[in-house]
Amino acid sequence: LAKTTQPISMDSYEGQEVNITCSHNNIATNDYITWYQQFPSQGPRFIIQGYKTKVTNEVASLFIPADRKSSTLSLPRVSLSDTAVYYCLVGAGTYNTDKLIFGTGTRLQVFP
Amino acid sequence: SQTIHQWPATLVQPVGSPLSLECTVEGTSNPNLYWYRQAAGRGLQLLFYSVGIGQISSEVPQNLSASRPQDRQFILSSKKLLLSDSGFYLCAWTNSGSSNEQFFGPGTRLTVL
C-alpha cells in the first residue's frame, strides 16, 4: 500500500482558498487518490476521489500531476465550518481485499 | 438508501471487563466492513476488515477480536479491556469490488478506567 505524507496542520482565514498537498511517491498503477474530511467526534466523510489530472465537485477540486506522486486538495473560499482534519488516502478500488490506510491527516483551522 | 449504525454511542468500562461493540449496515449487500480506532488527537488506525461472513483480517496485534456473524453485522469484542483500549471506535463499509469511498458510522467513544 502506498504511504502518504501530508502537513500536520494549516491555518487559513474565511474566504481564502486552501490547498493541501499530499505526497504518495509509491503510488501503484491501479491506485486511486481519495480525500476525507473529519469533524471532532464524527466519522470521516468522503470529499473527492481521482485517478489523474483534475476532478471537481461541489465541495472541492483535486489536482493530480502526470506522475501521480502527489495530489492537491483545493477548497475554494473556506468558511469556519471547514475547520476539520483532512485525510489523503491512496488505494485500489477494484478488489475485495483492498483496505484503506488513514494517516494522521492535516488539521485545518479556519479563522474569522 | 444505505445507513450504518453503531452502538452504544458511549461506553465507560473498568479495566479487565469484556467488550462488545456492534455495527450494522442497511440497504446494501455483501459490503466490505471495517473497524477503526482513533486515539485522542490521532489518526485512524485500521483494526480489522472483512470481505464476507466469517472472514476477518486483523491489522494490528492486540487483545481485540472481530466477528461477522451475518452479512451486514460486524462485532468488535474483547475479553479483558486494557487502559490503552480507550478511544473512538468507528465502523465503516464499502461496496465490495468498487470505489474507495468508505461510509462511516457515528462511532463509539470508549473510556476504560
Side-chain angles (χ1 to χ4, degrees):
Chain A
L1 292 173
K3 181 180 177 181
T4 61
T5 303
Q6 305 173 232
I8 294 175
S9 63
M10 295 182 69
D11 292 336
S12 183
Y13 292 92
E14 282 192 293
Q16 290 188 334
E17 178 185 76
V18 171
N19 296 308
I20 306 174
T21 298
C22 178
S23 298
H24 27 80
N25 291 318
N26 297 322
I27 189 169
T29 302
N30 59 346
D31 282 344
Y32 283 78
I33 300 158
T34 312
W35 286 79
Y36 286 79
Q37 175 193 56
Q38 186 182 25
F39 298 112
S41 297
Q42 294 184 27
R45 183 174 67 105
F46 174 90
I47 299 176
I48 197 167
Q49 182 183 85
Y51 184 81
K52 63 180 179 181
T53 63
K54 177 183 175 182
V55 179
T56 297
N57 61 21
E58 64 277 8
V59 177
S61 294
L62 178 60
F63 298 92
I64 305 168
D67 65 6
R68 304 201 326 122
K69 293 182 182 297
S70 66
S71 60
T72 299
L73 175 72
S74 181
L75 305 172
R77 297 180 298 280
V78 295
S79 63
L80 294 176
S81 62
D82 292 317
T83 294
V85 178
Y86 292 83
Y87 296 96
C88 164
L89 289 84
V90 173
T94 56
Y95 300 101
N96 287 344
T97 56
D98 275 333
K99 50 190 182 294
L100 299 179
I101 305 297
F102 284 78
T104 54
T106 297
R107 187 172 299 275
L108 173 65
Q109 179 69 55
V110 180
F111 296 96
Chain B
S1 63
Q2 303 91 351
T3 55
I4 179 169
H5 305 278
Q6 283 186 248
W7 62 90
T10 59
L11 190 60
V12 179
Q13 292 284 97
V15 170
S17 64
L19 173 73
S20 180
L21 302 181
E22 188 165 345
C23 170
T24 58
V25 181
E26 297 177 356
T28 188
S29 60
N30 194 32
N32 291 341
L33 296 172
Y34 307 81
W35 276 113
Y36 291 88
R37 176 172 59 201
Q38 188 171 35
R42 306 291 295 276
L44 280 76
Q45 179 186 36
L46 179 63
L47 301 176
F48 301 95
Y49 72 98
S50 171
V51 300
I53 296 174
Q55 300 179 62
I56 309 294
S57 295
S58 175
E59 290 299 300
V60 182
Q62 58 210 316
N63 68 323
L64 299 172
S65 62
S67 61
R68 186 169 177 176
Q70 300 179 43
D71 182 45
R72 289 167 288 179
Q73 184 184 32
F74 206 23
I75 297 173
L76 183 68
S77 305
S78 174
K79 293 182 179 179
K80 290 185 177 181
L81 284 169
L82 307 172
L83 286 174
S84 58
D85 291 324
S86 293
F88 190 46
Y89 287 82
L90 289 157
C91 180
W93 71 274
T94 63
N95 283 315
S96 59
S98 60
S99 76
N100 287 327
E101 183 172 357
Q102 285 193 330
F103 301 91
F104 285 82
T108 295
R109 186 160 302 281
L110 172 66
T111 303
V112 182
L113 303 175

